[in-house]
Amino acid sequence: MFRKKRAKQKPDATAKQLMGIVGEENVLYLKGDLLSYECDGYTLERGIPRAVVFVRNTQHVSDVVKQLNELEIPYIARGAGTGLSGGATPRGGEVIISLVRMKRLLDLDLENRQAVVEPGYINLKLTQSISDKGYYYAPDPSSQYACTIGGNVAENSGGAHCLKYGVTTNHILGLEVVLPSGEIIEIGNSGVPDQPGYDLLGILTGSEGTLGIVTKITVNILKNPEGKKTGLAYFDDIDDASQAVSDIIATGIIPAALEMMDEIAIEGVEASAYPVGHPSDIAAFLLIEVDGIQEGIDDQIEDILTVCKSNHVRDVKVAKDEAERSMWWANRKMGFGAMGAISPDYLVQDGVIPRTRLPEVLAHISAISRKYELRIANIFHAGDGNLHPLILFDASVPGESDRASKAGSECLQVCADVGGSITGEHGVGIEKSAEMRFIFTDEEMAAQTDIRHVFNPDDLLNPGKLFPEPGRCVEVKRDEKKVSV
Amino acid sequence: MFRKKRAKQKPDATAKQLMGIVGEENVLYLKGDLLSYECDGYTLERGIPRAVVFVRNTQHVSDVVKQLNELEIPYIARGAGTGLSGGATPRGGEVIISLVRMKRLLDLDLENRQAVVEPGYINLKLTQSISDKGYYYAPDPSSQYACTIGGNVAENSGGAHCLKYGVTTNHILGLEVVLPSGEIIEIGNSGVPDQPGYDLLGILTGSEGTLGIVTKITVNILKNPEGKKTGLAYFDDIDDASQAVSDIIATGIIPAALEMMDEIAIEGVEASAYPVGHPSDIAAFLLIEVDGIQEGIDDQIEDILTVCKSNHVRDVKVAKDEAERSMWWANRKMGFGAMGAISPDYLVQDGVIPRTRLPEVLAHISAISRKYELRIANIFHAGDGNLHPLILFDASVPGESDRASKAGSECLQVCADVGGSITGEHGVGIEKSAEMRFIFTDEEMAAQTDIRHVFNPDDLLNPGKLFPEPGRCVEVKRDEKKVSV
């Protein structure tokens, strides 16, 4: 009965035109189908798209974009939809261009340490497909089993190992991009680290789908390190853990990862599918990994644990084998999701601060928690100064969602006030465009929105993201005559 | 007599207005004084500026820029003038804004591994001022004793150690920039590696002085490696040396530096002020450096030299102490200048190729050498695939300059043809703007020139650089109505 009712809904003129380009089977237009696309991993704002079109190749993307330009219909590129700031969330009425069916590994050149993938190729699959040959792809967001490399490029995704190995932008060698004009351009070049001219590779990477649609990606792949050592350090006082982080960095050793969790976060992961038996009464732990050539890494992890000992650590241990190491990492990577085990709802925030300001910022976050009467767990890529306050709330209690949202924004204000940033790796998206004001002046914002206007003059590509819009929160004014092209 | 004659020349209205901003003692306007500013380290094209103004602070830069905008007089920012592609060379009539008197180290924050410098601060001085505390600044162009960090930002300068440590853009955390509008903006942020929004830090770095004038730079500083080992490997066949480079990279060890010189280059450095006694009959040598924690580096250099041995090396050696290591490096860094000892004139080229194409590209360069009857020496940052063909000629022989220039351009065409690039670290400047066509399509060029127009709408800041201009070589056409801002 329900099926029959749905079957009656006819594609509108737009959907039909899109079908003309990509084929009937590659366009969704039924209301029920569209509901799955009303948000990404950030669920506090939602909108229903007009249609979803699954492109199969670059020409499809170009043709669809040109068609939508003609119709003046806005559009959004989407990968796996694991983003955490609403970068792929419609405001309502946009066409979603889904890249998930462009998912091939196009080329693998081990000699030059490069791979070419389509944007819908899943992050983890790349490492899986080359690990037997001794290689891996470095950026490892916690969602790497699901997220696409195209999405990683859009968000300039990081991960636990970006302290040593950098974020996505440090691993992208070239892009094929469909511009909002429908033109197809190549940026970057095989085997050449730095191209002349302006760094378009850098500006496209992390542009959150507002400058172009990436259709091909050349990435750098790395040789597996010869050895790895992973340690845990338990602290009774989170300030001691914070000081240990600064002291570790000061030794000159760059750990492959240096992660921290506070007691509420630990409560969560211990209640998750991957408990490891962390003590329940500690204030924080550090999860530390070093890698590199075999000689020396035992000394490195020992040196780091010695630094922990000089900061009143309660206990330290080193993973005895790969199984234990994997368990520790599975537990850590459950971090966000694990909050579901101890709270009906949670809001992930993503701020960055100078590492040395950690104790002070934690005290502020504690005060915010008391002010809004909401528990806040803290998970950090501590080595990078990237904190993820997880604000726990119950959306069914009137007013709690709103309080959570305000508490999140205040956490970001604290980060901005100490000279930090409002996002480390999750992006600005639809969620934090107003908070861009915390860190940018009018002139600084204008320098950026001017760039968007050049690439995306009619603002049809992913409108309403990344920057505050006229009428939304703060108006970005710009004398149009002044910037002539 | 001559002095008296010069003294009669009066400052024109422009010079007087500039003096009103920066003081009389900070403006040069006498013809004799201006001659020193007719080119930078690329001497084949020259032009006389209208005046040179020495700014002392950011407000000076902003005020001077606003004044020149009002007068519609073009201007160029200049550091030490060591650039190798004419990025600071006037076409004639521009005002040079010299940053050399903004040369202070403004802040040193060892705990957060950062330093803040003014643009005229000399590269090597930074390392010298922190080396006793165990730190250094990584980018090390051969001109580092003279070049400024502001100039390094403009050109995104590299150096022998960028294989492992990256180029300038990888070490810049924040910039203060005066835009061509005179507005002052801050880009990047203390202690925060990646800012939200578009990567303005990336786009400004390497923009060759066409988007803004950098007035303050926050750089990342590194802890000195615990140990270093430096090796030399002599080859009878340059193809064996090339294959060794690929094989070394394939081991997974990333050397701190992996340099190559061919026999003509060796002839030059052995005739220079720093000969080291390299055999005169070898085809090429590799200069290899590894660094890191003490444990393991002996093994690393041994592993690398073993790779050389499996590629028919004639001889290998490891520097026995710091004195020998320094001598090898001084000899290598003399590379370009040393050509003066074996040729009246020389032209440095700067191409990049995928490492694996090295033998094929060398064969092409050899053919170009025969075709133009000019000797070509080759110095390479081999690990990066960055080659510097040095074309030897005698400007006093009619036609030789022209042949050298053509041979240089053909070398770049070869690099482009194998999927490489026309510049690795010297920039495009005034020299290679026509060659941008070797690697960019109309659409790709337009995406870049559009960005220039946004920042630099009246094209008063460093006109005629980086992109081919209408009327110069190839016209970049763009439908103005299409790109509305």
Side-chain angles (χ1 to χ4, degrees):
Chain A
M1 181 67 182
F2 180 62
R3 287 180 73 98
K4 205 172 162 197
K5 196 174 166 198
R6 278 179 53 176
K8 270 189 193 158
Q9 196 193 328
K10 291 265 171 58
D12 66 8
T14 308
K16 278 189 188 155
Q17 281 166 311
L18 296 172
M19 285 170 178
I21 298 169
V22 298
E24 241 177 80
E25 70 285 9
N26 288 318
V27 178
L28 299 181
Y29 61 92
L30 296 173
K31 290 260 153 56
D33 293 337
L34 299 178
L35 271 178
S36 313
Y37 295 86
E38 64 174 357
C39 67
D40 60 17
Y42 168 72
T43 58
L44 290 185
E45 295 177 59
R46 293 160 194 253
I48 304 288
R50 171 192 293 258
V52 178
V53 50
F54 296 94
V55 285
R56 298 278 185 173
N57 55 52
T58 305
Q59 199 55 52
H60 276 173
V61 178
S62 173
D63 292 346
V64 166
V65 162
K66 284 177 181 166
Q67 181 71 64
L68 293 170
N69 282 344
E70 213 161 280
L71 299 168
E72 297 181 15
I73 293 173
Y75 47 95
I76 301 173
R78 182 183 163 116
T82 55
L84 290 167
S85 57
T89 296
R91 297 190 300 181
E94 293 96 332
V95 168
I96 298 260
I97 300 176
S98 171
L99 283 311
V100 295
R101 292 182 189 168
M102 287 178 71
K103 58 178 179 184
R104 287 175 303 164
L105 174 61
L106 297 174
D107 187 44
L108 191 56
D109 176 358
L110 292 179
E111 197 169 12
N112 284 308
R113 301 280 184 84
Q114 296 178 8
V116 182
V117 300
E118 289 186 320
Y121 192 71
I122 287 172
N123 175 302
L124 189 60
K125 282 186 85 168
L126 182 51
T127 291
Q128 285 171 342
S129 71
I130 55 182
S131 65
D132 60 329
K133 297 172 192 84
Y135 294 89
Y136 75 111
Y137 176 61
D140 61 337
S142 294
S143 58
Q144 68 179 136
Y145 61 89
C147 65
T148 65
I149 293 182
N152 296 166
V153 171
E155 300 296 326
N156 191 19
S157 305
H161 291 77
C162 64
L163 172 59
K164 181 167 178 179
Y165 292 103
V167 292
T168 298
T169 195
N170 304 113
H171 299 272
I172 302 299
L173 300 172
L175 296 175
E176 181 188 76
V177 181
V178 175
L179 296 177
S181 60
E183 289 169 332
I184 301 164
I185 65 170
E186 294 263 356
I187 305 174
N189 216 314
S190 59
V192 176
D194 289 288
Q195 274 216 319
Y198 304 135
D199 181 16
L200 294 184
L201 206 53
I203 214 144
L204 261 294
T205 307
S207 61
E208 305 196 9
T210 64
L211 298 183
I213 300 178
V214 169
T215 48
K216 205 183 282 181
I217 304 151
T218 305
V219 302
N220 184 36
I221 55 182
L222 299 182
K223 191 103 175 171
N224 286 335
E226 230 181 76
K228 282 181 193 170
K229 285 283 171 185
T230 309
L232 268 173
Y234 295 122
F235 290 86
D236 291 309
D237 182 331
I238 197 161
D239 287 354
D240 287 332
S242 302
Q243 189 57 47
V245 169
S246 283
D247 291 352
I248 289 165
I249 299 295
T251 64
I253 302 168
I254 302 175
L258 180 47
E259 303 280 298
M260 181 151 107
M261 278 201 187
D262 77 356
E263 57 182 322
I264 304 179
I266 295 168
E267 182 190 333
V269 292
E270 286 300 293
S272 79
Y274 300 101
V276 307
H278 297 305
S280 60
D281 61 338
I282 50 164
F285 72 68
L286 294 181
L287 174 62
I288 307 142
E289 190 158 278
V290 293
D291 66 13
I293 51 166
Q294 202 65 55
E295 294 93 348
I297 60 168
D298 284 331
D299 287 350
Q300 280 191 35
I301 194 79
E302 278 314 314
D303 287 351
I304 288 174
L305 295 179
T306 302
V307 170
C308 294
K309 285 172 193 165
S310 67
N311 281 288
H312 316 107
V313 77
R314 182 199 292 190
D315 193 16
V316 297
K317 51 185 176 175
V318 175
K320 61 181 184 299
D321 53 26
E322 180 56 31
E324 189 168 47
R325 180 187 163 272
S326 295
M327 192 175 66
W328 291 359
W329 273 112
N331 173 274
R332 161 62 190 84
K333 291 204 171 184
M334 276 305 290
F336 297 171
M339 294 302 114
I342 59 168
S343 174
D345 298 283
Y346 65 94
L347 174 66
V348 183
Q349 264 310 351
D350 173 38
V352 188
I353 56 165
R355 273 187 303 265
T356 46
R357 311 292 289 268
L358 209 47
E360 165 189 355
V361 168
L362 287 175
H364 277 295
I365 291 177
S366 216
I368 292 167
S369 165
R370 287 191 301 275
K371 174 176 167 187
Y372 288 99
E373 297 178 352
L374 294 172
R375 294 176 84 200
I376 303 181
N378 287 291
I379 296 182
F380 318 73
H381 302 308
D384 295 302
N386 184 189
L387 16 148
H388 294 307
L390 293 139
I391 298 147
L392 311 187
F393 68 102
D394 184 345
S396 70
V397 176
E400 278 214 2
S401 299
D402 188 47
R403 265 155 54 212
S405 184
K406 282 184 183 149
S409 183
E410 278 192 33
C411 288
L412 296 182
Q413 182 71 63
V414 170
C415 295
D417 287 348
V418 298
S421 170
I422 60 165
T423 174
E425 54 183 11
H426 296 174
V428 173
I430 206 167
E431 178 195 17
K432 282 178 290 197
S433 57
E435 282 84 357
M436 290 287 267
R437 289 274 156 206
F438 292 175
I439 52 174
F440 293 117
T441 65
D442 281 359
E443 289 77 15
E444 289 158 5
M445 200 82 85
Q448 302 201 49
T449 50
D450 285 350
I451 290 177
R452 178 171 66 179
H453 287 306
V454 164
F455 281 86
N456 190 6
D458 304 319
D459 204 21
L460 290 177
L461 174 58
N462 213 6
K465 309 295 163 60
L466 195 47
F467 299 105
E469 276 196 306
R472 182 164 188 259
C473 275
V474 195
E475 192 160 354
V476 185
K477 279 196 180 156
R478 188 75 177 165
D479 179 357
E480 299 221 336
K481 275 163 293 179
K482 202 168 144 203
V483 187
S484 64
V485 177
Chain B
M1 182 68 181
F2 179 65
R3 289 180 71 97
K4 204 174 162 198
K5 196 172 163 200
R6 279 179 53 175
K8 271 188 193 156
Q9 197 193 328
K10 292 266 173 58
D12 66 6
T14 306
K16 277 188 189 157
Q17 281 168 312
L18 295 172
M19 286 171 177
I21 298 169
V22 298
E24 240 176 81
E25 70 286 8
N26 288 317
V27 178
L28 300 181
Y29 62 91
L30 297 172
K31 288 258 153 59
D33 293 337
L34 298 178
L35 271 177
S36 313
Y37 296 87
E38 64 175 358
C39 67
D40 59 16
Y42 168 72
T43 58
L44 291 185
E45 294 176 61
R46 293 162 194 254
I48 304 288
R50 172 191 293 260
V52 177
V53 50
F54 296 94
V55 287
R56 298 277 185 173
N57 55 53
T58 304
Q59 198 55 52
H60 276 172
V61 178
S62 173
D63 291 346
V64 166
V65 162
K66 284 178 180 167
Q67 181 71 63
L68 293 171
N69 282 344
E70 212 160 281
L71 299 169
E72 297 182 16
I73 293 174
Y75 49 95
I76 300 173
R78 181 182 163 115
T82 57
L84 290 166
S85 57
T89 296
R91 296 190 301 180
E94 295 95 331
V95 168
I96 299 260
I97 300 175
S98 171
L99 283 311
V100 295
R101 293 182 189 168
M102 287 179 68
K103 59 178 180 183
R104 287 177 302 165
L105 173 62
L106 297 174
D107 187 44
L108 191 56
D109 175 359
L110 292 178
E111 196 168 14
N112 285 307
R113 300 279 185 86
Q114 295 178 10
V116 181
V117 300
E118 288 186 320
Y121 192 71
I122 288 172
N123 176 301
L124 187 60
K125 282 186 84 168
L126 181 52
T127 291
Q128 285 171 341
S129 72
I130 55 182
S131 66
D132 60 329
K133 297 171 191 86
Y135 294 89
Y136 75 112
Y137 176 60
D140 61 338
S142 294
S143 58
Q144 67 180 139
Y145 60 88
C147 65
T148 64
I149 292 182
N152 297 166
V153 170
E155 300 296 325
N156 191 18
S157 306
H161 290 77
C162 64
L163 172 59
K164 180 166 179 180
Y165 292 103
V167 292
T168 299
T169 195
N170 304 114
H171 298 272
I172 302 298
L173 301 172
L175 296 174
E176 180 187 77
V177 181
V178 175
L179 296 176
S181 61
E183 289 169 332
I184 301 164
I185 66 170
E186 294 264 355
I187 305 173
N189 216 315
S190 58
V192 176
D194 289 288
Q195 273 217 318
Y198 304 134
D199 181 15
L200 295 184
L201 206 53
I203 214 143
L204 260 294
T205 308
S207 61
E208 305 197 10
T210 65
L211 299 183
I213 300 177
V214 169
T215 47
K216 204 184 283 180
I217 305 150
T218 305
V219 303
N220 185 36
I221 55 182
L222 299 181
K223 191 103 177 173
N224 285 335
E226 231 180 74
K228 283 182 193 169
K229 284 283 171 187
T230 308
L232 267 174
Y234 295 122
F235 291 86
D236 291 309
D237 183 332
I238 196 161
D239 288 353
D240 287 331
S242 301
Q243 189 56 49
V245 169
S246 283
D247 292 352
I248 289 165
I249 300 294
T251 63
I253 302 169
I254 301 175
L258 179 47
E259 303 280 297
M260 180 151 109
M261 277 201 189
D262 77 356
E263 57 182 323
I264 304 179
I266 295 167
E267 181 190 334
V269 293
E270 286 300 293
S272 78
Y274 299 102
V276 307
H278 299 304
S280 60
D281 61 339
I282 50 164
F285 72 67
L286 294 181
L287 175 62
I288 306 142
E289 189 159 279
V290 293
D291 66 14
I293 50 165
Q294 202 66 54
E295 293 93 347
I297 61 168
D298 284 332
D299 288 350
Q300 280 190 37
I301 194 78
E302 279 312 315
D303 287 350
I304 288 174
L305 296 179
T306 302
V307 170
C308 294
K309 285 173 192 163
S310 67
N311 281 287
H312 316 105
V313 78
R314 182 200 292 189
D315 193 17
V316 298
K317 50 185 176 176
V318 176
K320 60 182 186 298
D321 53 25
E322 181 56 29
E324 189 169 46
R325 179 187 164 270
S326 295
M327 192 176 66
W328 292 359
W329 274 113
N331 174 273
R332 160 62 190 88
K333 293 205 171 185
M334 275 306 289
F336 299 169
M339 294 302 115
I342 60 168
S343 174
D345 299 283
Y346 65 95
L347 174 67
V348 183
Q349 266 309 354
D350 173 38
V352 188
I353 56 165
R355 272 187 304 265
T356 46
R357 310 295 289 269
L358 208 47
E360 164 188 358
V361 168
L362 287 175
H364 277 296
I365 291 178
S366 216
I368 292 167
S369 165
R370 286 190 301 274
K371 174 175 168 190
Y372 289 99
E373 298 179 351
L374 294 172
R375 297 176 82 198
I376 303 182
N378 288 290
I379 296 181
F380 318 75
H381 302 308
D384 296 301
N386 185 190
L387 18 147
H388 294 308
L390 293 139
I391 299 146
L392 311 186
F393 68 102
D394 183 345
S396 71
V397 176
E400 280 214 0
S401 298
D402 189 45
R403 266 154 55 211
S405 184
K406 282 183 183 149
S409 184
E410 277 192 33
C411 289
L412 296 182
Q413 183 70 64
V414 170
C415 295
D417 288 346
V418 298
S421 169
I422 60 165
T423 174
E425 53 181 13
H426 297 172
V428 174
I430 206 166
E431 178 195 17
K432 283 179 289 198
S433 57
E435 282 84 357
M436 291 286 269
R437 288 274 157 206
F438 292 175
I439 52 173
F440 293 117
T441 65
D442 282 0
E443 289 77 14
E444 288 158 4
M445 201 82 85
Q448 301 201 50
T449 51
D450 285 351
I451 290 177
R452 179 173 64 179
H453 287 305
V454 163
F455 280 86
N456 190 7
D458 304 318
D459 204 21
L460 290 178
L461 175 58
N462 213 6
K465 308 296 164 58
L466 196 46
F467 300 105
E469 276 197 305
R472 182 165 187 257
C473 276
V474 195
E475 192 160 354
V476 185
K477 280 195 177 155
R478 188 77 178 164
D479 179 357
E480 300 221 336
K481 276 164 293 178
K482 202 169 144 202
V483 186
S484 62
V485 177

Coordinates of all heavy atoms in Angstrom, one line a residue, chain A residues 105 107-110 113-117 121 123-138 149 219-224:
Chain A
L105 N 39.4 2.9 -7.4 CA 40.9 3.2 -7.2 C 41.4 3.2 -8.7 O 41.4 2.2 -9.3 CB 41.5 2.1 -6.4 CG 43.1 2.1 -6.3 CD1 43.5 3.4 -5.6 CD2 43.5 0.9 -5.5
D107 N 44.4 4.4 -10.0 CA 45.8 4.1 -10.3 C 46.6 4.0 -9.0 O 46.3 4.6 -8.0 CB 46.4 5.3 -11.2 CG 47.8 4.9 -11.6 OD1 48.0 3.8 -12.1 OD2 48.7 5.8 -11.6
L108 N 47.6 3.1 -9.1 CA 48.4 2.9 -7.9 C 49.8 2.9 -8.4 O 50.2 2.1 -9.3 CB 48.0 1.5 -7.3 CG 48.6 1.2 -5.9 CD1 48.3 2.3 -4.9 CD2 48.1 -0.1 -5.4
D109 N 50.7 3.8 -8.0 CA 52.0 3.9 -8.5 C 52.9 3.9 -7.3 O 53.3 4.9 -6.7 CB 52.2 5.3 -9.3 CG 53.6 5.5 -9.7 OD1 54.5 4.7 -9.4 OD2 53.8 6.6 -10.4
L110 N 53.3 2.7 -6.9 CA 54.1 2.5 -5.6 C 55.4 3.1 -5.8 O 56.0 3.7 -4.8 CB 54.2 1.0 -5.3 CG 52.8 0.4 -4.8 CD1 53.0 -1.1 -4.5 CD2 52.2 1.1 -3.6
R113 N 55.0 6.5 -5.1 CA 54.2 6.7 -3.8 C 53.0 7.5 -4.0 O 52.7 8.4 -3.3 CB 55.1 7.4 -2.8 CG 56.3 6.8 -2.4 CD 56.0 5.7 -1.4 NE 57.3 5.1 -1.0 CZ 58.0 5.7 0.0 NH1 57.6 6.7 0.7 NH2 59.1 5.1 0.4
Q114 N 52.2 7.1 -5.0 CA 51.0 7.8 -5.3 C 49.8 6.9 -5.6 O 50.0 5.8 -6.2 CB 51.2 8.7 -6.5 CG 52.2 9.8 -6.4 CD 52.4 10.6 -7.6 OE1 51.6 10.5 -8.6 NE2 53.4 11.5 -7.6
A115 N 48.6 7.4 -5.3 CA 47.4 6.7 -5.7 C 46.5 7.7 -6.3 O 46.5 8.8 -5.8 CB 46.8 5.9 -4.6
V116 N 45.7 7.3 -7.3 CA 44.6 8.2 -7.8 C 43.3 7.5 -7.5 O 43.1 6.3 -7.9 CB 44.8 8.4 -9.3 CG1 43.8 9.4 -9.8 CG2 46.2 8.9 -9.6
V117 N 42.4 8.2 -6.8 CA 41.1 7.7 -6.5 C 40.0 8.6 -6.9 O 40.2 9.8 -7.1 CB 41.0 7.4 -4.9 CG1 42.1 6.5 -4.4 CG2 41.0 8.7 -4.2
Y121 N 35.7 7.0 -3.1 CA 36.5 5.9 -2.5 C 36.6 6.1 -1.0 O 36.9 7.2 -0.5 CB 37.8 5.9 -3.2 CG 38.7 4.7 -3.0 CD1 38.4 3.5 -3.6 CD2 39.8 4.8 -2.2 CE1 39.1 2.4 -3.4 CE2 40.6 3.6 -2.0 CZ 40.3 2.5 -2.7 OH 41.0 1.3 -2.5
N123 N 38.1 6.0 2.6 CA 39.4 6.2 3.2 C 40.1 4.9 3.6 O 41.2 4.7 3.1 CB 39.2 7.2 4.4 CG 40.5 7.4 5.2 OD1 41.1 6.5 5.7 ND2 40.9 8.7 5.3
L124 N 39.5 4.1 4.4 CA 40.2 2.9 4.9 C 40.5 1.9 3.8 O 41.5 1.2 3.9 CB 39.3 2.3 6.0 CG 40.0 1.1 6.8 CD1 41.2 1.6 7.5 CD2 39.0 0.5 7.8
K125 N 39.7 1.9 2.8 CA 40.0 0.9 1.7 C 41.3 1.2 1.0 O 41.9 0.2 0.6 CB 38.9 1.0 0.6 CG 37.6 0.4 1.0 CD 36.6 0.3 -0.1 CE 36.8 -0.8 -1.1 NZ 35.6 -1.0 -2.0
L126 N 41.7 2.4 1.0 CA 43.0 2.7 0.4 C 44.2 2.0 1.2 O 45.0 1.3 0.6 CB 43.3 4.2 0.3 CG 44.6 4.6 -0.4 CD1 44.8 3.9 -1.7 CD2 44.6 6.1 -0.6
T127 N 44.2 2.2 2.5 CA 45.2 1.5 3.3 C 45.0 0.0 3.2 O 46.0 -0.7 3.0 CB 45.1 2.0 4.8 OG1 45.5 3.3 4.8 CG2 46.0 1.1 5.7
Q128 N 43.8 -0.5 3.2 CA 43.6 -1.9 3.1 C 44.1 -2.5 1.8 O 44.7 -3.6 1.8 CB 42.1 -2.3 3.2 CG 41.6 -2.2 4.7 CD 40.1 -2.3 4.8 OE1 39.4 -2.1 3.8 NE2 39.6 -2.5 6.0
S129 N 44.0 -1.7 0.7 CA 44.4 -2.3 -0.6 C 45.9 -2.2 -0.8 O 46.4 -2.8 -1.8 CB 43.7 -1.5 -1.7 OG 44.2 -0.2 -1.8
I130 N 46.7 -1.5 0.0 CA 48.1 -1.4 -0.2 C 48.9 -1.9 1.0 O 50.1 -2.0 1.0 CB 48.5 0.0 -0.5 CG1 48.1 1.0 0.6 CG2 48.0 0.4 -1.9 CD1 48.4 2.5 0.3
S131 N 48.2 -2.3 2.1 CA 49.0 -2.7 3.3 C 49.8 -3.9 3.1 O 50.9 -4.0 3.7 CB 48.0 -2.8 4.5 OG 47.2 -3.9 4.3
D132 N 49.4 -4.9 2.3 CA 50.2 -6.1 2.1 C 51.5 -5.7 1.3 O 52.4 -6.5 1.4 CB 49.4 -7.1 1.3 CG 48.9 -6.7 0.0 OD1 48.7 -5.4 -0.2 OD2 48.8 -7.5 -1.0
K133 N 51.5 -4.6 0.7 CA 52.7 -4.2 0.0 C 53.6 -3.3 0.9 O 54.6 -2.8 0.4 CB 52.4 -3.5 -1.3 CG 51.6 -4.4 -2.3 CD 51.1 -3.6 -3.5 CE 50.2 -4.5 -4.3 NZ 48.8 -4.4 -3.8
G134 N 53.1 -3.1 2.1 CA 53.9 -2.3 3.0 C 53.6 -0.8 3.0 O 54.5 0.0 3.5
Y135 N 52.5 -0.4 2.5 CA 52.2 1.0 2.4 C 50.9 1.4 3.2 O 50.1 0.5 3.4 CB 52.1 1.5 1.0 CG 53.3 1.4 0.2 CD1 53.7 0.2 -0.5 CD2 54.2 2.5 0.2 CE1 54.9 0.1 -1.1 CE2 55.4 2.4 -0.5 CZ 55.8 1.2 -1.2 OH 56.9 1.1 -1.8
Y136 N 50.7 2.7 3.4 CA 49.4 3.1 4.0 C 49.1 4.5 3.6 O 50.0 5.3 3.1 CB 49.3 2.9 5.5 CG 50.1 3.9 6.3 CD1 49.5 4.8 7.1 CD2 51.5 3.9 6.3 CE1 50.2 5.7 7.9 CE2 52.2 4.8 7.0 CZ 51.6 5.7 7.8 OH 52.3 6.6 8.5
Y137 N 47.8 4.9 3.8 CA 47.4 6.3 3.6 C 47.3 6.9 5.0 O 46.5 6.4 5.8 CB 46.1 6.4 2.8 CG 45.5 7.7 2.6 CD1 46.3 8.7 1.9 CD2 44.3 8.1 3.1 CE1 45.7 10.0 1.7 CE2 43.8 9.4 2.9 CZ 44.5 10.3 2.2 OH 44.0 11.6 2.1
A138 N 47.9 8.1 5.2 CA 48.1 8.5 6.6 C 46.8 9.1 7.2 O 46.5 8.8 8.4 CB 49.2 9.5 6.7
I149 N 37.3 9.8 0.6 CA 38.4 10.6 0.4 C 38.0 12.0 -0.1 O 38.6 13.0 0.2 CB 39.6 9.9 -0.4 CG1 40.1 8.8 0.5 CG2 40.7 10.9 -0.7 CD1 41.2 8.0 -0.1
V219 N 46.7 11.1 -4.3 CA 47.2 11.2 -2.9 C 48.6 10.6 -2.8 O 49.0 9.8 -3.6 CB 46.2 10.5 -1.9 CG1 44.8 11.1 -1.9 CG2 46.2 9.0 -2.1
N220 N 49.2 11.1 -1.8 CA 50.5 10.6 -1.4 C 50.3 9.4 -0.5 O 49.5 9.4 0.4 CB 51.2 11.7 -0.6 CG 52.6 11.5 -0.2 OD1 53.3 10.8 -0.9 ND2 53.0 11.9 1.0
I221 N 51.1 8.3 -0.7 CA 51.0 7.2 0.2 C 52.3 7.0 0.9 O 53.4 7.3 0.4 CB 50.5 5.9 -0.5 CG1 51.3 5.5 -1.7 CG2 49.0 6.0 -0.9 CD1 50.9 4.3 -2.4
L222 N 52.3 6.4 2.1 CA 53.5 6.3 2.9 C 53.9 4.8 3.1 O 53.0 4.0 3.1 CB 53.3 7.0 4.3 CG 53.0 8.4 4.3 CD1 52.9 8.9 5.8 CD2 54.1 9.2 3.6
K223 N 55.1 4.6 3.3 CA 55.7 3.3 3.6 C 55.3 3.0 5.1 O 55.4 3.9 5.9 CB 57.2 3.3 3.5 CG 57.8 2.0 3.5 CD 58.2 1.5 2.2 CE 59.0 0.2 2.3 NZ 59.2 -0.5 1.0
N224 N 54.9 1.8 5.4 CA 54.6 1.5 6.8 C 55.8 1.7 7.7 O 56.9 1.4 7.2 CB 54.2 0.1 7.0 CG 52.8 -0.2 6.5 OD1 51.9 0.7 6.5 ND2 52.5 -1.4 6.1

